[in-house]
Amino acid sequence: MAEAWILSAVRTAVGTAHKGTLRGTSALELARVAVDAARTRSGLEPERFDDVVFAESYYGGGDIARHAAIEAGLVNVGGQAVNRHCAGSLTSVANAAGSIIAGMDDVVIAGGVQSSSTAPVQRWRVPGTEEYLEPWWSPTHPDSPTAPNRDMTITVGWNTAQAIGISREEMDRWAYRSHQRAVAAIDDGTFAEEIVPVKVTLPDGSATEFAVDEHPRRDSTLEKLASLKPLHPEIEGFSITAGNSSGVNDAAAALVLGNADTARSYGGTPFGRVRGWAWTAVPPERTGAAVLDVIPKVLRRTGLSIKDIALWEINEAFASVPVAACRELALDEEKVNIHGSGCSIGHPTAASGARMLTTLVHDLRRRGGGLGIAAMCAGGGQAGAVLVEC
């Protein structure tokens, strides 16, 4: 059977949207940095590449993939825009791997980008009038009281906590753990190899290189998390806060995937290969719990079991999601998000899946190899999972 090998995997550091270092850096620039770095680190010449597949979300509906390809010197390489919201860049990687395994492409760059700071504001004409509502963005699913299509604190965070019986204290503990682990990884240089610096011009005109995740809170404590007000105090018992939710963030990540012939000849040591993937969907009010379905699905497809997986990346869109996965699927918490995730590192929506895979393959390589799964829920009741072997 043909194989899709990971030849390089990079990401930018994750910025805090609207007030962080990347607040003036566009998605176009972030994508260029990631695509160029992934290509350069692969050591492959531009003419070896067949496509760039890149996820984007809430950025106006253009084709950032093609824009990044041109800016990275891949003028004769096409670009495909992908949107599955949170799981967009997991989809990019799976689509690229599928094309390579099918023998249609030899080398593809896949990933995603999110600049929440610079995303355009859309306006929607009220049907039958000359009036506009502002701001507006395309919803992921039909609106309903049990699954508001523009309030994921209810649709994902709260509904998951309610369905699984997860307490505020459990979610706060997970978020605190996330910050502790992310800060530890920053301090010991764990992320240094996977991060490519971004040259940034600050509002005062000075220049800097941004290369360290800025969203993790060093001063986070359980007491501080417990003191935060719930985001919907009008709902009795509501337990979702800013502290046990993911951040709003800016970043990009990209991986170079190649076929077996390329992996044998390109001159470097591959990180490993993409072994499989799966998607699923549930009613929108169960969005956060969709990971409980997609993880068993990808394991079934690949003939594996939970005990075969060395490391897990389960996105912390809300802390309730990984807590639910660990509880319901009997995952070893010490193998899940070992360096933090959305609550600490942040959740740059369309880039998160590729960020998770990038961190995952670097971690597996450091440990001498093994199997890893990156999984996450996504807008509209979806979930995705990608299995890698390093």
Short mmCIF file of all heavy atoms in Angstrom, two decimals, residues 278-318:
data_model
loop_
_atom_site.label_atom_id
_atom_site.label_comp_id
_atom_site.label_asym_id
_atom_site.label_seq_id
_atom_site.Cartn_x
_atom_site.Cartn_y
_atom_site.Cartn_z
N ALA A 278 -10.35 9.97 10.36
CA ALA A 278 -11.80 9.74 10.39
C ALA A 278 -12.51 11.04 10.70
O ALA A 278 -11.96 11.93 11.36
CB ALA A 278 -12.16 8.68 11.44
N TRP A 279 -13.76 11.13 10.22
CA TRP A 279 -14.64 12.27 10.51
C TRP A 279 -15.97 11.72 10.96
O TRP A 279 -16.36 10.61 10.58
CB TRP A 279 -14.83 13.14 9.26
CG TRP A 279 -13.57 13.35 8.50
CD1 TRP A 279 -13.24 12.81 7.30
CD2 TRP A 279 -12.44 14.12 8.91
NE1 TRP A 279 -11.98 13.20 6.93
CE2 TRP A 279 -11.46 14.00 7.91
CE3 TRP A 279 -12.16 14.89 10.04
CZ2 TRP A 279 -10.22 14.62 7.99
CZ3 TRP A 279 -10.93 15.51 10.14
CH2 TRP A 279 -9.98 15.37 9.11
N THR A 280 -16.65 12.47 11.76
CA THR A 280 -17.99 12.08 12.16
C THR A 280 -18.80 13.33 12.43
O THR A 280 -18.26 14.43 12.48
CB THR A 280 -17.96 11.16 13.41
OG1 THR A 280 -19.24 10.56 13.57
CG2 THR A 280 -17.60 11.94 14.65
N ALA A 281 -20.09 13.15 12.60
CA ALA A 281 -20.96 14.27 12.95
C ALA A 281 -22.10 13.78 13.82
O ALA A 281 -22.53 12.63 13.70
CB ALA A 281 -21.51 14.94 11.69
N VAL A 282 -22.54 14.65 14.70
CA VAL A 282 -23.61 14.36 15.65
C VAL A 282 -24.55 15.55 15.64
O VAL A 282 -24.25 16.60 15.04
CB VAL A 282 -23.03 14.14 17.07
CG1 VAL A 282 -22.11 12.93 17.09
CG2 VAL A 282 -22.30 15.38 17.56
N PRO A 283 -25.70 15.48 16.29
CA PRO A 283 -26.53 16.67 16.42
C PRO A 283 -25.72 17.82 17.01
O PRO A 283 -24.89 17.60 17.91
CB PRO A 283 -27.65 16.22 17.36
CG PRO A 283 -27.75 14.75 17.14
CD PRO A 283 -26.34 14.29 16.92
N PRO A 284 -25.92 19.05 16.53
CA PRO A 284 -25.08 20.16 16.99
C PRO A 284 -24.99 20.33 18.50
O PRO A 284 -23.93 20.73 19.01
CB PRO A 284 -25.74 21.37 16.33
CG PRO A 284 -26.33 20.82 15.07
CD PRO A 284 -26.82 19.46 15.44
N GLU A 285 -26.06 20.00 19.23
CA GLU A 285 -25.98 20.18 20.69
C GLU A 285 -25.01 19.19 21.34
O GLU A 285 -24.68 19.33 22.51
CB GLU A 285 -27.36 20.05 21.32
CG GLU A 285 -28.08 18.74 21.08
CD GLU A 285 -28.99 18.80 19.86
OE1 GLU A 285 -28.78 19.68 19.00
OE2 GLU A 285 -29.91 17.96 19.78
N ARG A 286 -24.54 18.19 20.59
CA ARG A 286 -23.56 17.24 21.10
C ARG A 286 -22.17 17.48 20.52
O ARG A 286 -21.29 16.60 20.58
CB ARG A 286 -23.97 15.80 20.77
CG ARG A 286 -25.17 15.27 21.55
CD ARG A 286 -25.29 13.75 21.39
NE ARG A 286 -24.12 13.07 21.92
CZ ARG A 286 -23.31 12.28 21.19
NH1 ARG A 286 -23.52 12.12 19.89
NH2 ARG A 286 -22.28 11.68 21.76
N THR A 287 -21.91 18.66 20.00
CA THR A 287 -20.65 18.91 19.30
C THR A 287 -19.43 18.50 20.12
O THR A 287 -18.55 17.81 19.63
CB THR A 287 -20.54 20.40 18.92
OG1 THR A 287 -21.59 20.74 18.01
CG2 THR A 287 -19.20 20.70 18.26
N GLY A 288 -19.35 18.94 21.36
CA GLY A 288 -18.16 18.64 22.17
C GLY A 288 -17.96 17.17 22.40
O GLY A 288 -16.82 16.70 22.53
N ALA A 289 -19.05 16.42 22.46
CA ALA A 289 -18.96 14.98 22.70
C ALA A 289 -18.68 14.19 21.43
O ALA A 289 -18.51 12.96 21.49
CB ALA A 289 -20.25 14.47 23.35
N ALA A 290 -18.60 14.87 20.29
CA ALA A 290 -18.35 14.15 19.03
C ALA A 290 -17.00 13.47 19.02
O ALA A 290 -16.80 12.48 18.31
CB ALA A 290 -18.48 15.11 17.84
N VAL A 291 -16.03 13.98 19.81
CA VAL A 291 -14.73 13.31 19.86
C VAL A 291 -14.87 11.90 20.43
O VAL A 291 -14.04 11.03 20.16
CB VAL A 291 -13.70 14.12 20.68
CG1 VAL A 291 -13.35 15.42 19.99
CG2 VAL A 291 -14.18 14.36 22.09
N LEU A 292 -15.90 11.67 21.24
CA LEU A 292 -16.11 10.35 21.83
C LEU A 292 -16.50 9.33 20.76
O LEU A 292 -16.37 8.12 20.97
CB LEU A 292 -17.19 10.40 22.90
CG LEU A 292 -17.01 11.43 24.01
CD1 LEU A 292 -18.16 11.35 25.00
CD2 LEU A 292 -15.67 11.22 24.71
N ASP A 293 -16.98 9.82 19.62
CA ASP A 293 -17.33 8.96 18.50
C ASP A 293 -16.20 8.83 17.49
O ASP A 293 -15.96 7.75 16.93
CB ASP A 293 -18.57 9.49 17.78
CG ASP A 293 -19.81 9.49 18.66
OD1 ASP A 293 -19.81 8.78 19.68
OD2 ASP A 293 -20.76 10.22 18.33
N VAL A 294 -15.48 9.92 17.25
CA VAL A 294 -14.50 9.88 16.17
C VAL A 294 -13.23 9.13 16.57
O VAL A 294 -12.57 8.52 15.72
CB VAL A 294 -14.17 11.32 15.69
CG1 VAL A 294 -13.19 12.03 16.63
CG2 VAL A 294 -13.63 11.29 14.26
N ILE A 295 -12.88 9.14 17.85
CA ILE A 295 -11.68 8.41 18.27
C ILE A 295 -11.87 6.90 18.08
O ILE A 295 -11.02 6.24 17.46
CB ILE A 295 -11.29 8.78 19.71
CG1 ILE A 295 -10.70 10.20 19.73
CG2 ILE A 295 -10.30 7.78 20.29
CD1 ILE A 295 -10.43 10.74 21.12
N PRO A 296 -12.96 6.30 18.58
CA PRO A 296 -13.17 4.88 18.29
C PRO A 296 -13.26 4.58 16.79
O PRO A 296 -12.83 3.51 16.34
CB PRO A 296 -14.50 4.56 18.99
CG PRO A 296 -14.59 5.58 20.09
CD PRO A 296 -13.98 6.82 19.52
N LYS A 297 -13.78 5.53 16.02
CA LYS A 297 -13.92 5.31 14.58
C LYS A 297 -12.57 5.19 13.90
O LYS A 297 -12.34 4.29 13.09
CB LYS A 297 -14.74 6.44 13.95
CG LYS A 297 -15.06 6.23 12.47
CD LYS A 297 -15.99 7.32 11.96
CE LYS A 297 -16.37 7.09 10.50
NZ LYS A 297 -17.31 8.14 10.01
N VAL A 298 -11.63 6.09 14.23
CA VAL A 298 -10.32 6.01 13.59
C VAL A 298 -9.56 4.78 14.07
O VAL A 298 -8.79 4.18 13.31
CB VAL A 298 -9.52 7.31 13.81
CG1 VAL A 298 -8.97 7.42 15.24
CG2 VAL A 298 -8.37 7.42 12.81
N LEU A 299 -9.77 4.37 15.32
CA LEU A 299 -9.14 3.15 15.81
C LEU A 299 -9.67 1.92 15.08
O LEU A 299 -8.92 1.02 14.69
CB LEU A 299 -9.34 3.02 17.32
CG LEU A 299 -8.59 4.04 18.18
CD1 LEU A 299 -9.04 3.94 19.64
CD2 LEU A 299 -7.08 3.87 18.08
N ARG A 300 -10.99 1.87 14.88
CA ARG A 300 -11.58 0.75 14.15
C ARG A 300 -11.04 0.68 12.73
O ARG A 300 -10.71 -0.40 12.22
CB ARG A 300 -13.11 0.87 14.11
CG ARG A 300 -13.81 0.57 15.41
CD ARG A 300 -15.31 0.38 15.19
NE ARG A 300 -15.94 1.52 14.54
CZ ARG A 300 -16.45 2.57 15.18
NH1 ARG A 300 -16.38 2.63 16.50
NH2 ARG A 300 -17.03 3.55 14.50
N ARG A 301 -10.94 1.82 12.09
CA ARG A 301 -10.49 1.86 10.70
C ARG A 301 -9.06 1.35 10.55
O ARG A 301 -8.69 0.83 9.49
CB ARG A 301 -10.56 3.30 10.17
CG ARG A 301 -11.94 3.75 9.79
CD ARG A 301 -11.89 5.12 9.17
NE ARG A 301 -13.17 5.48 8.56
CZ ARG A 301 -13.40 6.62 7.92
NH1 ARG A 301 -12.42 7.52 7.81
NH2 ARG A 301 -14.58 6.88 7.40
N THR A 302 -8.26 1.54 11.57
CA THR A 302 -6.84 1.20 11.48
C THR A 302 -6.48 -0.06 12.25
O THR A 302 -5.31 -0.42 12.35
CB THR A 302 -5.99 2.38 11.97
OG1 THR A 302 -6.44 2.79 13.27
CG2 THR A 302 -6.09 3.56 11.01
N GLY A 303 -7.49 -0.73 12.81
CA GLY A 303 -7.25 -1.98 13.51
C GLY A 303 -6.47 -1.84 14.80
O GLY A 303 -5.74 -2.76 15.20
N LEU A 304 -6.64 -0.72 15.48
CA LEU A 304 -5.88 -0.44 16.70
C LEU A 304 -6.82 -0.31 17.89
O LEU A 304 -8.05 -0.27 17.74
CB LEU A 304 -5.08 0.86 16.53
CG LEU A 304 -4.02 0.86 15.43
CD1 LEU A 304 -3.51 2.28 15.19
CD2 LEU A 304 -2.87 -0.08 15.78
N SER A 305 -6.24 -0.23 19.07
CA SER A 305 -7.00 0.00 20.28
C SER A 305 -6.38 1.15 21.06
O SER A 305 -5.26 1.59 20.75
CB SER A 305 -7.02 -1.26 21.15
OG SER A 305 -5.72 -1.55 21.63
N ILE A 306 -7.07 1.62 22.06
CA ILE A 306 -6.59 2.75 22.86
C ILE A 306 -5.22 2.46 23.45
O ILE A 306 -4.35 3.34 23.51
CB ILE A 306 -7.61 3.10 23.95
CG1 ILE A 306 -8.80 3.84 23.31
CG2 ILE A 306 -7.00 3.94 25.06
CD1 ILE A 306 -9.97 4.06 24.22
N LYS A 307 -4.96 1.23 23.87
CA LYS A 307 -3.68 0.90 24.51
C LYS A 307 -2.51 1.00 23.53
O LYS A 307 -1.35 1.07 23.96
CB LYS A 307 -3.73 -0.49 25.11
CG LYS A 307 -3.92 -1.62 24.13
CD LYS A 307 -3.96 -2.96 24.84
CE LYS A 307 -4.26 -4.09 23.87
NZ LYS A 307 -3.28 -4.22 22.78
N ASP A 308 -2.79 1.02 22.22
CA ASP A 308 -1.72 1.13 21.22
C ASP A 308 -1.20 2.56 21.06
O ASP A 308 -0.14 2.76 20.46
CB ASP A 308 -2.22 0.64 19.86
CG ASP A 308 -2.55 -0.83 19.85
OD1 ASP A 308 -1.78 -1.61 20.43
OD2 ASP A 308 -3.60 -1.19 19.28
N ILE A 309 -1.94 3.54 21.55
CA ILE A 309 -1.62 4.95 21.30
C ILE A 309 -0.70 5.49 22.41
O ILE A 309 -1.04 5.45 23.59
CB ILE A 309 -2.90 5.79 21.21
CG1 ILE A 309 -3.86 5.17 20.19
CG2 ILE A 309 -2.56 7.23 20.85
CD1 ILE A 309 -3.29 4.98 18.80
N ALA A 310 0.45 6.01 21.99
CA ALA A 310 1.44 6.52 22.95
C ALA A 310 1.09 7.92 23.44
O ALA A 310 1.30 8.23 24.63
CB ALA A 310 2.83 6.53 22.32
N LEU A 311 0.59 8.77 22.56
CA LEU A 311 0.28 10.16 22.91
C LEU A 311 -1.00 10.60 22.23
O LEU A 311 -1.29 10.20 21.09
CB LEU A 311 1.42 11.10 22.51
CG LEU A 311 2.74 11.01 23.26
CD1 LEU A 311 3.76 11.96 22.65
CD2 LEU A 311 2.56 11.30 24.74
N TRP A 312 -1.73 11.47 22.92
CA TRP A 312 -2.97 12.04 22.40
C TRP A 312 -2.90 13.56 22.43
O TRP A 312 -2.40 14.15 23.40
CB TRP A 312 -4.16 11.63 23.26
CG TRP A 312 -4.37 10.17 23.41
CD1 TRP A 312 -3.76 9.34 24.30
CD2 TRP A 312 -5.27 9.34 22.66
NE1 TRP A 312 -4.21 8.05 24.16
CE2 TRP A 312 -5.15 8.02 23.16
CE3 TRP A 312 -6.18 9.60 21.63
CZ2 TRP A 312 -5.89 6.96 22.65
CZ3 TRP A 312 -6.92 8.54 21.13
CH2 TRP A 312 -6.78 7.24 21.63
N GLU A 313 -3.41 14.18 21.38
CA GLU A 313 -3.68 15.62 21.38
C GLU A 313 -5.19 15.77 21.19
O GLU A 313 -5.73 15.44 20.11
CB GLU A 313 -2.93 16.33 20.25
CG GLU A 313 -1.44 16.49 20.49
CD GLU A 313 -1.11 17.67 21.40
OE1 GLU A 313 -1.93 18.59 21.49
OE2 GLU A 313 -0.03 17.65 22.01
N ILE A 314 -5.89 16.22 22.22
CA ILE A 314 -7.34 16.42 22.15
C ILE A 314 -7.60 17.89 22.43
O ILE A 314 -7.37 18.36 23.55
CB ILE A 314 -8.08 15.51 23.14
CG1 ILE A 314 -7.77 14.04 22.83
CG2 ILE A 314 -9.58 15.78 23.07
CD1 ILE A 314 -8.38 13.06 23.81
N ASN A 315 -8.05 18.60 21.44
CA ASN A 315 -8.13 20.06 21.56
C ASN A 315 -9.01 20.51 22.72
O ASN A 315 -10.11 20.00 22.92
CB ASN A 315 -8.67 20.66 20.25
CG ASN A 315 -8.58 22.17 20.26
OD1 ASN A 315 -7.63 22.75 20.76
ND2 ASN A 315 -9.58 22.83 19.69
N GLU A 316 -8.49 21.47 23.45
CA GLU A 316 -9.23 22.05 24.57
C GLU A 316 -10.02 23.26 24.10
O GLU A 316 -9.81 24.38 24.55
CB GLU A 316 -8.25 22.46 25.68
CG GLU A 316 -7.49 21.29 26.28
CD GLU A 316 -6.28 21.71 27.10
OE1 GLU A 316 -6.03 22.93 27.21
OE2 GLU A 316 -5.59 20.82 27.61
N ALA A 317 -10.95 23.03 23.16
CA ALA A 317 -11.85 24.12 22.82
C ALA A 317 -12.52 24.61 24.10
O ALA A 317 -12.67 25.81 24.33
CB ALA A 317 -12.90 23.65 21.82
N PHE A 318 -12.88 23.64 24.92
CA PHE A 318 -13.30 23.86 26.30
C PHE A 318 -12.72 22.69 27.10
O PHE A 318 -12.61 21.58 26.57
CB PHE A 318 -14.82 23.92 26.43
CG PHE A 318 -15.43 25.07 25.69
CD1 PHE A 318 -15.78 24.94 24.35
CD2 PHE A 318 -15.63 26.29 26.31
CE1 PHE A 318 -16.31 26.01 23.64
CE2 PHE A 318 -16.15 27.37 25.61
CZ PHE A 318 -16.50 27.23 24.29
#
